[in-house]
Amino acid sequence: VDRSYQVTAEYELVEGAEAGLYLFYSEKAYIGVKASDSHFYIRITNKANKVTTEKSLDGNEWTVVEEGVDVSSYHHNNYKEFLALRPSVMISEGATVKAFDYKVLQ
C-alpha cells in the first residue's frame, strides 16, 4: 500500500450529468470532489494521510477545494469494516472518464 500518492482524472459530461473522484473507505468515510461542468479534471493528493483535493477546467491551472484534510482515522477501529481507503471514480449516465492517472509520491 502506497503511503503517498496522487490520483488525477479527466472527465467529459453531457448536460445534466455529474462525475467525481474520491478516496473511499465506506459510505461513512470518504473525501473527494464531484462536478457537472462539460469538461474538467479532478486531482487528489494523499501525502501520508493528509489529503488535498483540486479541480481544473484545463488540467494546468488548479483550484484547491480542500487542503490538508486528515484521513488517518478512516480505518477499522472507527468504521468497523476491514476495508482500505482507495481511489474511486464516480460517474452518472452521460459522463465519461477520458483519462485516469495514479502516481506514487516519495
Side-chain angles (χ1 to χ4, degrees), residues 1-80:
V1 175
D2 300 316
R3 291 193 34 82
S4 296
Y5 54 88
Q6 186 174 75
V7 183
T8 307
E10 176 186 3
Y11 300 91
E12 272 188 14
L13 281 65
V14 299
E15 188 172 331
E18 62 182 6
L21 183 64
Y22 294 86
L23 295 184
F24 188 87
Y25 179 82
S26 72
E27 295 283 334
K28 298 175 186 172
Y30 57 89
I31 183 171
V33 178
K34 75 176 177 179
S36 58
D37 300 297
S38 62
H39 184 254
F40 63 93
Y41 300 77
I42 297 174
R43 179 166 68 193
I44 298 177
T45 305
N46 183 352
K47 290 186 179 176
N49 290 318
K50 300 291 185 206
V51 173
T52 298
T53 58
E54 300 169 278
K55 183 181 169 195
S56 173
L57 295 177
D58 62 8
N60 294 309
E61 294 185 33
W62 293 89
T63 301
V64 172
V65 177
E66 292 184 283
E67 187 170 23
V69 177
D70 185 357
V71 296
S72 63
S73 65
Y74 292 19
H75 57 73
H76 172 73
N77 290 345
N78 289 324
Y79 295 101
K80 310 300 181 211

